Amino acid sequence: MIYTAFLIKYAEIGIKGKNRYLFEDALVRQIKYALKKCEGAFMVHKAEGRIYVDVISGYDYDETVAALKTVFGISGICPVVYAEDRGFEQLTKDVFKYLDDVYPDKKKTFKVAARRSRKNYPMDSMTINRELGEVILDAYPEMRVDVHNPDILLNVEVREKIYLYSEIIPGPGGMPVGTNGKAMLLLSGGIDSPVAGYMIAKRGVKIDAVYFHAPPYTSERAKQKVVDLAKLVSRYAGPVYLHVVNFTDIQLYIYEKCPHEELTIIMRRYMMRIAERIAKETECLGLVTGESIGQVASQTMHSLAVTNEVCTLPVYRPLIGFDKQEIVELSEKINTYETSILPYEDCCTIFVAKHPVTKPNLKVICRHEENLAEKIEELVQTAMETKELMIVQE
Ligand code: ATP
Ligand code: MG
């Protein structure tokens, strides 16, 4: 590929006033993280209110663009060619080479958009526009000027170097991870929670995760699947601190002491309680789940209210209004779907009742939870003490 750099466009973060540099620094950091996995060497730098990725040595264009597309905060990726600053004649040669490389088919309309931020350059932008436009028309008779809606908007930016670019590849949008605190994601092996993690990370939130494992009812493969999902989410969210909690004894105890149709809801309340304890210990500002209203019995409005009641931290449910099909489409887009549908058992489904309550009554649930009074605090304490921490990244 002919490109020597990428100009990174960012939308929302450009408007953050005095905090702007914090957002830019976070974006630079996340870009570096994403490019670490790519072939080649790069230099990521800020210059004149912009972020550039300079290519230092051999790189794979598709791989690099794919990596940049995982960086939240990027609204557009412009592949750039640096033209030589050796007079107008050299500039036209560089422009012709650019057009030949990028647009082999010349049946196109174009417009030159010059910007001169280095004022000692001998031509002003109007002159560059006019004169470059003329030489392009002379060199390529098939090309036409269209100042309103050109096929090719050729940007010529005269800065400390001269930049040529015309393509904008859409980025993922959002805000750079690390600019908006941290949250604890309840990550199961299903389709929904990885997507929920992606959505919250997209708003600049760093993600820690907790998985409730119930061996031997859930296998090592089920756990590995969650690790794999965390790894896929980490492509976007950065390294994920994954807490694996052994939930078996708590689950068995609830099974023994509580009505079976209330098992799921009581279990979910204990998951939330434990997740909140870990969240508070790790300075997370909220919990995140993959719940969506009405998807299953434990996600009716009544059930969600009863589950939520045990939490004091805010619980973020980014998929709350999504249909399953919409969630599936998102999971395909972020590449978690194939892993999510692997058929390993889930700790919720093993103990699930034939007819779980869909309209749990908080008072009744609390009364039945009293059956657990003797041992539950000790079991929760043990679960906290024996949890395993894994740092997951691609
Ligand atoms: P998912 O597809 O995310 O597993 P689901 O449709 O299977 O969701 P539930 O099993 O009711 O729904 O779980 C609702 C939410 O609770 C999940 O999205 C996830 O955030 C959390 N959750 C469920 N099981 C676990 C688990 N074993 N470990 C951690 N979190 C869990
Ligand atoms: Mg599930």
Side-chain angles (χ1 to χ4, degrees):
M1 262 296 161
I2 59 160
Y3 300 111
T4 46
F6 295 90
L7 164 64
I8 303 299
K9 299 216 165 196
Y10 45 94
E12 263 180 275
I13 67 171
I15 56 171
K16 296 289 174 185
K18 275 194 296 193
N19 287 333
R20 178 175 171 146
Y21 79 96
L22 292 175
F23 286 78
E24 288 174 340
D25 289 350
L27 188 51
V28 167
R29 193 174 60 235
Q30 294 305 110
I31 291 171
K32 286 180 178 166
Y33 172 76
L35 292 177
K36 257 202 319 223
K37 290 157 284 189
C38 296
E39 215 180 291
F42 305 91
M43 190 171 75
V44 187
H45 61 107
K46 297 201 289 185
E48 301 165 64
R50 293 230 168 138
I51 291 173
Y52 296 93
V53 175
D54 283 353
V55 176
I56 307 291
S57 67
Y59 76 114
D60 182 276
Y61 175 82
D62 292 331
E63 182 190 53
T64 306
V65 169
L68 291 171
K69 281 178 146 185
T70 66
V71 180
F72 294 131
I74 295 181
S75 65
I77 303 155
C78 306
V80 173
V81 166
Y82 288 151
E84 288 188 46
D85 186 5
R86 288 199 281 126
F88 187 69
E89 202 157 316
Q90 182 61 44
L91 179 61
T92 55
K93 278 190 198 153
D94 288 336
V95 166
F96 292 165
K97 177 164 185 340
Y98 177 87
L99 291 174
D100 288 340
D101 283 337
V102 183
Y103 304 103
D105 173 13
K106 294 289 182 311
K107 272 209 197 70
K108 293 218 166 13
T109 60
F110 77 100
K111 173 187 174 179
V112 180
R115 241 160 302 170
R116 184 184 62 155
S117 69
R118 180 156 59 74
K119 296 297 175 201
N120 67 357
Y121 191 75
M123 296 163 93
D124 66 16
S125 18
M126 290 300 284
T127 315
I128 300 172
N129 285 344
R130 196 180 53 242
E131 304 220 344
L132 261 187
E134 274 171 23
V135 294
I136 290 171
L137 284 173
D138 285 346
Y140 304 107
E142 316 94 289
M143 292 185 76
R144 291 274 172 275
V145 171
D146 181 343
V147 292
H148 299 296
N149 194 18
D151 300 327
I152 305 170
L153 179 65
L154 179 64
N155 293 278
V156 179
E157 295 191 4
V158 181
R159 296 169 176 268
E160 82 286 10
K161 295 176 192 160
I162 300 175
Y163 302 79
L164 305 178
Y165 64 91
S166 54
E167 305 276 285
I168 300 186
I169 302 158
M175 302 162 98
V177 169
T179 55
N180 225 339
K182 189 166 71 163
M184 180 63 70
L185 168 68
L186 284 87
L187 182 62
S188 68
I191 295 171
D192 306 326
S193 42
V195 176
Y198 167 90
M199 303 257 307
I200 293 294
K202 185 170 181 214
R203 300 310 303 164
V205 180
K206 188 166 169 10
I207 296 291
D208 282 356
V210 52
Y211 166 57
F212 295 94
H213 187 38
Y217 305 97
T218 56
S219 64
E220 273 306 301
R221 288 196 308 181
K223 176 174 151 190
Q224 186 55 45
K225 174 178 160 182
V226 174
V227 174
D228 292 343
L229 286 169
K231 204 173 277 185
L232 292 168
V233 172
S234 81
R235 269 198 91 191
Y236 299 90
V240 173
Y241 284 57
L242 172 65
H243 302 265
V244 179
V245 173
N246 187 323
F247 201 54
T248 312
D249 291 343
I250 296 173
Q251 224 167 354
L252 289 172
Y253 191 50
I254 301 172
Y255 194 69
E256 184 193 326
K257 298 283 185 185
C258 300
H260 289 180
E261 63 277 11
E262 291 171 5
L263 196 73
T264 305
I265 199 87
I266 295 177
M267 220 171 64
R268 302 230 7 91
R269 281 162 60 91
Y270 276 96
M271 282 187 186
M272 297 304 257
R273 286 179 173 113
I274 294 172
E276 179 162 295
R277 280 205 200 180
I278 306 173
K280 285 182 172 167
E281 281 181 5
T282 53
E283 288 167 2
C284 288
L285 299 170
L287 303 176
V288 180
T289 75
E291 290 160 313
S292 137
I293 294 174
Q295 199 187 77
V296 286
S298 60
Q299 297 175 27
T300 62
M301 284 293 276
H302 300 77
S303 299
L304 288 169
V306 172
T307 307
N308 208 74
E309 195 263 342
V310 299
C311 302
T312 58
L313 285 178
V315 182
Y316 297 104
R317 300 178 172 91
L319 308 180
I320 200 70
F322 282 34
D323 292 341
K324 194 74 190 185
Q325 189 50 36
E326 292 169 307
I327 303 172
V328 165
E329 280 163 21
L330 264 170
S331 75
E332 283 170 337
K333 184 181 122 188
I334 67 170
N335 201 28
T336 52
Y337 183 72
E338 293 299 324
T339 306
S340 286
I341 59 171
L342 293 172
Y344 308 138
E345 63 298 308
D346 173 334
C347 73
C348 307
T349 47
I350 288 161
F351 293 89
V352 87
K354 262 214 188 79
H355 300 289
V357 281
T358 53
K359 286 190 184 173
N361 176 298
L362 182 59
K363 277 194 194 130
V364 176
I365 297 288
C366 290
R367 194 161 67 237
H368 290 152
E369 279 184 358
E370 282 167 19
N371 300 349
L372 304 169
E374 192 192 334
K375 273 185 11 193
I376 194 73
E377 188 43 44
E378 186 192 323
L379 292 176
V380 168
Q381 195 53 40
T382 306
M384 286 294 291
E385 282 161 11
T386 58
K387 72 182 165 58
E388 182 191 354
L389 174 61
M390 305 165 88
I391 301 171
V392 183
Q393 57 186 317
E394 250 201 331

